Amino acid sequence: MKKSDVIRNILRDKPSTPRIQFGQAFAPTNIALCKYWGKRDLELNLPINSSLSISLGDKGATTFIAEIESDQDSIVFNEQSIALHSSFGNRLTTFLDLFRPLPTVRYQVITQMNIPVASGLASSACGFAALVLALNHFYHWDLDLTQLSILARLGSGSAARSLWQGFVKWEMGSAKDGMDSHGHVLPIQWPELRVGLLILHTGQKPLSSREAMLRTVQTSHLYSAWPKQVDMDMQSLERALVAKDFNALGRTAENNAMAMHATMMSAWPAIVYSQPATIGAMNQVWELRKEGVSVYFTQDAGPNLKLLFLAENQEKVMAAFPDLEMCEPFG
Ligand code: DP6
Protein backbone atom coordinates (compact mmCIF):
# COMPACT_ATOMS: atom_id res chain seq x y z
CA MET A 1 0.00 0.00 0.00
CA LYS A 2 1.14 3.55 -0.75
CA LYS A 3 1.22 6.58 1.54
CA SER A 4 -1.12 8.40 -0.83
CA ASP A 5 -3.78 5.64 -0.44
CA VAL A 6 -3.70 5.99 3.36
CA ILE A 7 -3.95 9.76 3.12
CA ARG A 8 -6.81 9.63 0.62
CA ASN A 9 -8.65 7.36 3.01
CA ILE A 10 -8.11 9.67 6.03
CA LEU A 11 -8.87 12.91 4.17
CA ARG A 12 -11.94 11.61 2.37
CA ASP A 13 -14.71 14.27 2.69
CA LYS A 14 -12.29 16.76 4.24
CA PRO A 15 -11.95 20.33 2.95
CA SER A 16 -9.12 21.01 0.52
CA THR A 17 -9.21 24.80 0.46
CA PRO A 18 -7.95 26.86 3.36
CA ARG A 19 -10.33 29.27 5.07
CA ILE A 20 -7.53 31.05 6.91
CA GLN A 21 -4.30 32.67 5.73
CA PHE A 22 -1.95 30.28 7.48
CA GLY A 23 -1.88 27.32 9.81
CA GLN A 24 0.37 27.11 12.83
CA ALA A 25 1.11 24.46 15.44
CA PHE A 26 3.58 23.25 18.07
CA ALA A 27 4.60 19.63 18.72
CA PRO A 28 6.95 18.47 21.48
CA THR A 29 9.86 16.22 20.73
CA ASN A 30 9.91 12.82 22.39
CA ILE A 31 12.54 10.48 23.74
CA ALA A 32 11.86 6.75 23.55
CA LEU A 33 12.29 4.74 26.75
CA CYS A 34 11.61 1.58 24.72
CA LYS A 35 12.85 2.18 21.19
CA TYR A 36 11.26 1.81 17.78
CA TRP A 37 13.89 -0.14 15.87
CA GLY A 38 13.01 -1.96 12.66
CA LYS A 39 10.17 -1.65 10.13
CA ARG A 40 7.83 -4.27 8.77
CA ASP A 41 6.72 -1.82 6.05
CA LEU A 42 9.28 0.67 4.74
CA GLU A 43 6.78 2.77 2.77
CA LEU A 44 4.33 3.34 5.66
CA ASN A 45 6.91 3.32 8.49
CA LEU A 46 5.12 0.43 10.19
CA PRO A 47 7.26 -0.84 13.07
CA ILE A 48 8.28 -4.37 14.00
CA ASN A 49 7.68 -3.47 17.65
CA SER A 50 5.62 -1.16 19.84
CA SER A 51 7.50 1.63 21.63
CA LEU A 52 7.05 4.00 24.56
CA SER A 53 8.29 7.56 24.95
CA ILE A 54 8.25 10.67 27.09
CA SER A 55 7.55 14.02 25.44
CA LEU A 56 9.73 16.96 26.38
CA GLY A 57 7.17 19.63 27.34
CA ASP A 58 7.93 22.93 25.63
CA LYS A 59 10.95 21.57 23.72
CA GLY A 60 9.98 20.90 20.13
CA ALA A 61 8.96 22.43 16.83
CA THR A 62 6.63 25.30 15.93
CA THR A 63 5.57 25.22 12.28
CA PHE A 64 3.75 27.76 10.15
CA ILE A 65 2.30 26.84 6.75
CA ALA A 66 0.63 28.88 4.00
CA GLU A 67 -0.04 28.51 0.28
CA ILE A 68 2.05 30.86 -1.86
CA GLU A 69 1.98 32.15 -5.43
CA SER A 70 5.20 30.62 -6.68
CA ASP A 71 6.46 27.79 -8.82
CA GLN A 72 8.33 26.25 -5.89
CA ASP A 73 7.96 25.69 -2.14
CA SER A 74 9.82 27.89 0.29
CA ILE A 75 11.21 26.24 3.42
CA VAL A 76 12.75 28.17 6.27
CA PHE A 77 14.22 26.25 9.19
CA ASN A 78 15.50 28.06 12.26
CA GLU A 79 15.66 31.28 10.23
CA GLN A 80 17.69 29.70 7.43
CA SER A 81 16.36 29.11 3.95
CA ILE A 82 16.63 25.42 3.00
CA ALA A 83 17.69 24.34 -0.52
CA LEU A 84 14.88 22.23 -2.00
CA HIS A 85 17.32 19.75 -3.52
CA SER A 86 19.12 19.12 -0.20
CA SER A 87 18.18 15.83 1.48
CA PHE A 88 16.19 17.72 4.14
CA GLY A 89 14.44 19.93 1.56
CA ASN A 90 13.66 16.95 -0.62
CA ARG A 91 12.27 14.89 2.27
CA LEU A 92 9.94 17.73 3.21
CA THR A 93 8.69 18.62 -0.29
CA THR A 94 8.08 14.93 -1.05
CA PHE A 95 5.98 14.71 2.12
CA LEU A 96 4.11 17.91 1.16
CA ASP A 97 3.39 16.39 -2.29
CA LEU A 98 1.08 13.97 -0.49
CA PHE A 99 -1.15 16.82 0.70
CA ARG A 100 -1.27 19.33 -2.19
CA PRO A 101 -4.95 19.74 -3.22
CA LEU A 102 -3.70 20.44 -6.77
CA PRO A 103 -0.23 19.56 -8.09
CA THR A 104 0.38 23.28 -8.71
CA VAL A 105 -0.14 24.34 -5.07
CA ARG A 106 3.07 25.58 -3.45
CA TYR A 107 3.75 26.12 0.23
CA GLN A 108 5.72 28.37 2.48
CA VAL A 109 6.82 26.37 5.53
CA ILE A 110 8.56 28.08 8.43
CA THR A 111 9.78 25.92 11.31
CA GLN A 112 11.46 26.95 14.51
CA MET A 113 12.93 24.34 16.86
CA ASN A 114 14.17 24.99 20.39
CA ILE A 115 16.17 21.77 20.70
CA PRO A 116 19.80 21.37 19.64
CA VAL A 117 19.14 20.09 16.11
CA ALA A 118 22.67 19.56 14.84
CA SER A 119 23.05 16.89 17.47
CA GLY A 120 20.16 14.80 16.13
CA LEU A 121 17.81 15.06 19.06
CA ALA A 122 14.60 13.63 17.62
CA SER A 123 14.08 16.63 15.34
CA SER A 124 12.21 14.66 12.67
CA ALA A 125 9.71 13.45 15.30
CA CYS A 126 8.56 16.92 16.40
CA GLY A 127 9.11 18.34 12.88
CA PHE A 128 6.65 16.01 11.12
CA ALA A 129 4.16 16.10 14.01
CA ALA A 130 4.12 19.93 13.98
CA LEU A 131 3.75 19.92 10.19
CA VAL A 132 0.66 17.68 10.13
CA LEU A 133 -0.86 19.65 13.01
CA ALA A 134 -0.25 22.88 11.07
CA LEU A 135 -1.81 21.37 7.90
CA ASN A 136 -4.81 20.20 9.96
CA HIS A 137 -5.23 23.76 11.26
CA PHE A 138 -4.71 25.36 7.84
CA TYR A 139 -7.25 23.20 5.96
CA HIS A 140 -9.71 22.79 8.86
CA TRP A 141 -9.60 19.03 8.56
CA ASP A 142 -10.63 18.59 12.19
CA LEU A 143 -8.83 15.25 12.46
CA ASP A 144 -8.43 13.63 15.86
CA LEU A 145 -5.01 12.97 17.38
CA THR A 146 -5.11 9.30 16.38
CA GLN A 147 -5.53 10.19 12.71
CA LEU A 148 -2.86 12.89 13.00
CA SER A 149 -0.51 10.36 14.59
CA ILE A 150 -0.99 8.09 11.56
CA LEU A 151 -0.24 10.99 9.18
CA ALA A 152 2.84 12.03 11.19
CA ARG A 153 4.11 8.42 11.11
CA LEU A 154 4.13 8.56 7.30
CA GLY A 155 6.73 11.35 7.61
CA SER A 156 8.85 9.71 10.30
CA GLY A 157 7.97 6.76 12.53
CA SER A 158 8.85 8.38 15.84
CA ALA A 159 6.65 11.38 14.93
CA ALA A 160 3.62 9.15 15.65
CA ARG A 161 4.43 9.69 19.37
CA SER A 162 4.90 13.49 19.21
CA LEU A 163 1.19 14.42 19.18
CA TRP A 164 0.87 14.27 22.96
CA GLN A 165 2.66 15.42 26.10
CA GLY A 166 3.65 12.92 28.78
CA PHE A 167 4.13 9.18 28.31
CA VAL A 168 3.03 7.95 24.90
CA LYS A 169 2.78 4.39 23.63
CA TRP A 170 2.93 3.71 19.91
CA GLU A 171 1.05 0.45 19.30
CA MET A 172 2.70 -1.40 16.45
CA GLY A 173 -0.67 -2.64 15.13
CA SER A 174 -1.08 -5.44 12.60
CA ALA A 175 -3.25 -4.01 9.80
CA LYS A 176 -1.64 -3.81 6.36
CA ASP A 177 -2.71 -0.20 5.89
CA GLY A 178 -1.37 0.76 9.35
CA MET A 179 -4.65 2.24 10.57
CA ASP A 180 -4.06 0.56 13.94
CA SER A 181 -0.41 1.71 14.20
CA HIS A 182 -0.49 5.00 16.09
CA GLY A 183 0.30 6.63 19.39
CA HIS A 184 -1.90 7.10 22.44
CA VAL A 185 -1.19 8.87 25.69
CA LEU A 186 -0.87 6.95 28.97
CA PRO A 187 -2.87 8.44 31.86
CA ILE A 188 0.19 8.94 34.07
CA GLN A 189 1.66 12.14 35.44
CA TRP A 190 5.12 12.19 36.98
CA PRO A 191 5.95 15.83 37.81
CA GLU A 192 9.26 14.94 39.53
CA LEU A 193 10.68 13.30 36.41
CA ARG A 194 13.57 15.11 34.74
CA VAL A 195 15.22 14.49 31.36
CA GLY A 196 18.63 16.05 30.73
CA LEU A 197 20.02 16.44 27.22
CA LEU A 198 23.74 15.79 27.27
CA ILE A 199 25.30 17.12 24.09
CA LEU A 200 28.66 15.40 23.65
CA HIS A 201 29.35 15.71 19.95
CA THR A 202 27.74 17.92 17.30
CA GLY A 203 29.29 16.59 14.08
CA GLN A 204 27.28 15.19 11.17
CA LYS A 205 25.76 11.74 11.83
CA PRO A 206 27.47 8.97 9.85
CA LEU A 207 24.14 7.34 9.00
CA SER A 208 20.47 8.31 9.39
CA SER A 209 18.36 6.26 11.80
CA ARG A 210 16.32 5.20 8.75
CA GLU A 211 19.34 3.61 7.05
CA ALA A 212 20.75 2.24 10.30
CA MET A 213 17.46 0.52 11.13
CA LEU A 214 17.25 -1.10 7.72
CA ARG A 215 20.84 -2.33 7.74
CA THR A 216 20.37 -3.75 11.24
CA VAL A 217 17.22 -5.68 10.29
CA GLN A 218 18.89 -7.00 7.13
CA THR A 219 22.30 -8.00 8.50
CA SER A 220 22.38 -8.36 12.30
CA HIS A 221 22.00 -11.88 13.72
CA LEU A 222 21.25 -10.31 17.10
CA TYR A 223 18.19 -8.57 15.70
CA SER A 224 16.04 -11.70 16.15
CA ALA A 225 16.39 -11.17 19.93
CA TRP A 226 15.14 -7.56 19.74
CA PRO A 227 11.33 -8.16 19.66
CA LYS A 228 11.67 -10.40 22.75
CA GLN A 229 13.65 -7.68 24.56
CA VAL A 230 10.94 -5.16 23.66
CA ASP A 231 8.13 -7.39 24.96
CA MET A 232 9.84 -7.63 28.34
CA ASP A 233 10.79 -3.96 28.44
CA MET A 234 7.32 -2.70 27.53
CA GLN A 235 5.85 -4.74 30.39
CA SER A 236 8.52 -3.55 32.85
CA LEU A 237 8.06 0.08 31.81
CA GLU A 238 4.29 0.00 32.11
CA ARG A 239 4.60 -1.63 35.56
CA ALA A 240 7.23 0.93 36.61
CA LEU A 241 5.02 3.81 35.51
CA VAL A 242 2.00 2.56 37.43
CA ALA A 243 4.10 1.89 40.55
CA LYS A 244 6.16 5.11 40.09
CA ASP A 245 9.25 2.93 40.47
CA PHE A 246 11.93 5.24 39.08
CA ASN A 247 14.81 2.75 39.33
CA ALA A 248 12.84 0.15 37.38
CA LEU A 249 12.04 2.78 34.75
CA GLY A 250 15.64 3.96 34.44
CA ARG A 251 17.11 0.46 34.42
CA THR A 252 14.71 -0.69 31.70
CA ALA A 253 15.25 2.39 29.52
CA GLU A 254 19.05 2.18 29.79
CA ASN A 255 19.11 -1.54 29.08
CA ASN A 256 16.74 -1.13 26.12
CA ALA A 257 18.99 1.51 24.55
CA MET A 258 22.09 -0.64 25.07
CA ALA A 259 20.33 -3.65 23.52
CA MET A 260 19.33 -1.57 20.48
CA HIS A 261 22.93 -0.41 20.05
CA ALA A 262 24.12 -4.02 20.40
CA THR A 263 21.98 -4.95 17.38
CA MET A 264 23.61 -2.08 15.46
CA MET A 265 27.14 -3.05 16.42
CA SER A 266 26.46 -6.56 15.18
CA ALA A 267 25.21 -5.28 11.80
CA TRP A 268 27.51 -5.35 8.79
CA PRO A 269 29.11 -2.93 8.21
CA ALA A 270 28.89 -2.23 11.95
CA ILE A 271 27.09 0.90 13.09
CA VAL A 272 28.62 2.67 16.06
CA TYR A 273 27.12 6.02 17.02
CA SER A 274 29.04 6.39 20.28
CA GLN A 275 32.06 8.68 20.38
CA PRO A 276 34.77 8.50 23.07
CA ALA A 277 32.89 11.23 24.97
CA THR A 278 29.73 9.06 24.90
CA ILE A 279 31.52 6.17 26.62
CA GLY A 280 33.11 8.62 29.08
CA ALA A 281 29.69 9.99 30.01
CA MET A 282 28.24 6.47 30.41
CA ASN A 283 31.03 5.70 32.88
CA GLN A 284 30.29 8.90 34.75
CA VAL A 285 26.61 7.91 35.03
CA TRP A 286 27.60 4.46 36.34
CA GLU A 287 29.99 6.08 38.87
CA LEU A 288 27.22 8.39 40.08
CA ARG A 289 24.94 5.39 40.54
CA LYS A 290 27.63 3.65 42.59
CA GLU A 291 27.65 6.75 44.80
CA GLY A 292 23.92 6.30 45.31
CA VAL A 293 22.56 8.87 42.83
CA SER A 294 19.68 7.42 40.82
CA VAL A 295 20.50 8.53 37.30
CA TYR A 296 20.21 6.54 34.07
CA PHE A 297 20.79 7.27 30.41
CA THR A 298 19.25 6.47 27.08
CA GLN A 299 20.81 6.91 23.63
CA ASP A 300 19.25 7.16 20.17
CA ALA A 301 20.86 7.08 16.72
CA GLY A 302 23.57 9.55 17.66
CA PRO A 303 26.43 10.09 20.09
CA ASN A 304 24.52 12.17 22.65
CA LEU A 305 22.85 10.89 25.80
CA LYS A 306 19.60 11.75 27.51
CA LEU A 307 19.79 11.43 31.29
CA LEU A 308 16.82 10.34 33.36
CA PHE A 309 16.55 11.33 37.02
CA LEU A 310 14.15 12.75 39.61
CA ALA A 311 13.96 16.33 40.88
CA GLU A 312 15.50 15.25 44.23
CA ASN A 313 18.76 14.40 42.40
CA GLN A 314 18.81 17.39 40.07
CA GLU A 315 21.54 19.26 41.95
CA LYS A 316 23.89 16.28 42.10
CA VAL A 317 23.36 15.44 38.42
CA MET A 318 23.87 19.07 37.38
CA ALA A 319 27.07 19.21 39.45
CA ALA A 320 28.44 16.20 37.55
CA PHE A 321 27.17 17.44 34.13
CA PRO A 322 27.18 21.28 34.27
CA ASP A 323 26.27 21.64 30.55
CA LEU A 324 23.16 19.50 30.81
CA GLU A 325 20.08 20.97 29.13
CA MET A 326 17.27 20.30 31.59
CA CYS A 327 13.72 19.38 30.60
CA GLU A 328 10.70 19.03 32.85
CA PRO A 329 8.29 16.86 30.84
CA PHE A 330 5.44 17.71 33.20
CA GLY A 331 6.65 21.21 34.02
C1 DP6 B 1 16.57 5.43 17.59
O1 DP6 B 1 11.61 7.84 13.54
O2 DP6 B 1 13.85 8.78 12.86
O3 DP6 B 1 15.23 7.39 17.71
O4 DP6 B 1 10.74 6.24 10.69
O5 DP6 B 1 12.83 6.13 9.36
O6 DP6 B 1 11.96 8.35 10.12
P1 DP6 B 1 12.09 6.87 10.41
O7 DP6 B 1 12.96 6.71 11.72
P2 DP6 B 1 12.99 7.59 13.06
O8 DP6 B 1 13.72 6.57 14.03
C2 DP6 B 1 13.86 6.81 15.39
C3 DP6 B 1 14.76 5.78 15.97
C4 DP6 B 1 15.18 6.02 17.40
C5 DP6 B 1 14.27 5.28 18.37
C6 DP6 B 1 12.94 5.91 18.71
O9 DP6 B 1 12.78 7.15 18.66
O10 DP6 B 1 12.04 5.14 19.07
Side-chain angles (χ1 to χ4, degrees):
M1 180 160 298
K2 287 217 183 95
K3 286 185 175 133
S4 51
D5 299 326
V6 175
I7 291 174
R8 199 170 314 116
N9 184 14
I10 292 179
L11 296 184
R12 203 183 327 120
D13 308 328
K14 295 292 178 189
S16 59
T17 46
R19 271 176 268 155
I20 47 176
Q21 276 191 322
F22 62 88
Q24 193 168 353
F26 168 81
T29 198
N30 74 76
I31 303 298
L33 302 174
C34 179
K35 310 293 184 188
Y36 147 53
W37 199 244
K39 303 183 196 197
R40 65 175 192 278
D41 184 317
L42 297 180
E43 162 78 9
L44 302 182
N45 292 331
L46 294 177
I48 286 175
N49 62 276
S50 296
S51 54
L52 197 154
S53 62
I54 176 77
S55 288
L56 295 192
D58 60 4
K59 297 246 182 298
T62 303
T63 289
F64 158 108
I65 189 157
E67 288 185 4
I68 48 168
E69 294 288 333
S70 171
D71 56 0
Q72 56 177 25
D73 295 327
S74 155
I75 301 172
V76 176
F77 182 78
N78 283 355
E79 276 146 39
Q80 294 215 325
S81 184
I82 301 295
L84 299 180
H85 53 77
S86 64
S87 66
F88 178 62
N90 188 41
R91 188 164 172 199
L92 212 65
T93 51
T94 312
F95 187 68
L96 288 170
D97 288 346
L98 298 164
F99 298 98
R100 299 180 208 278
L102 291 170
T104 48
V105 167
R106 292 292 172 266
Y107 294 111
Q108 160 117 68
V109 179
I110 302 176
T111 294
Q112 200 67 34
M113 279 190 198
N114 58 0
I115 48 168
V117 178
S119 35
L121 279 162
S123 49
S124 66
C126 57
F128 281 103
L131 183 57
V132 298
L133 280 166
L135 281 163
N136 182 56
H137 178 221
F138 185 49
Y139 287 118
H140 283 269
W141 289 331
D142 249 342
L143 298 175
D144 60 32
L145 291 174
T146 302
Q147 293 168 308
L148 290 165
S149 169
I150 293 171
L151 293 184
R153 164 171 54 72
L154 300 176
S156 181
S158 51
R161 301 184 306 241
S162 265
L163 277 301
W164 297 266
Q165 292 289 356
F167 296 102
V168 177
K169 185 172 175 189
W170 170 13
E171 304 282 355
M172 59 182 282
S174 59
K176 255 189 152 4
D177 62 1
M179 292 306 286
D180 56 355
S181 183
H182 53 76
H184 64 94
V185 68
L186 302 181
I188 288 161
Q189 300 280 317
W190 202 334
E192 301 80 20
L193 185 71
R194 299 289 179 269
V195 179
L197 308 180
L198 188 59
I199 310 298
L200 298 159
H201 187 86
T202 53
Q204 187 73 29
K205 281 210 243 186
L207 202 64
S208 69
S209 43
R210 184 158 293 190
E211 291 167 285
M213 221 182 268
L214 184 61
R215 187 190 297 173
T216 303
V217 174
Q218 287 176 341
T219 68
S220 162
H221 294 302
L222 293 191
Y223 187 76
S224 60
W226 173 249
K228 285 176 233 150
Q229 168 99 30
V230 168
D231 276 351
M232 278 179 352
D233 291 348
M234 287 299 272
Q235 286 179 36
S236 306
L237 281 174
E238 290 184 58
R239 271 200 306 270
L241 290 178
V242 171
K244 292 272 166 70
D245 181 344
F246 176 72
N247 286 316
L249 175 104
R251 199 167 54 225
T252 308
E254 186 173 307
N255 185 243
N256 182 270
M258 288 307 244
M260 175 182 73
H261 283 274
T263 68
M264 290 190 228
M265 284 186 234
S266 60
W268 188 264
I271 304 160
V272 179
Y273 282 110
S274 293
Q275 293 286 329
T278 315
I279 308 295
M282 287 176 179
N283 278 295
Q284 246 182 303
V285 168
W286 294 327
E287 274 306 313
L288 273 175
R289 280 222 295 276
K290 269 196 213 146
E291 291 163 20
V293 183
S294 270
V295 52
Y296 297 83
F297 64 81
T298 181
Q299 180 186 8
D300 291 296
N304 302 308
L305 299 183
K306 290 94 184 185
L307 305 190
L308 303 165
F309 50 97
L310 293 177
E312 65 195 35
N313 283 316
Q314 189 166 322
E315 248 174 66
K316 286 181 185 150
V317 175
M318 289 298 285
F321 299 99
D323 297 330
L324 202 63
E325 181 149 346
M326 276 280 307
C327 303
E328 295 189 22
F330 297 92

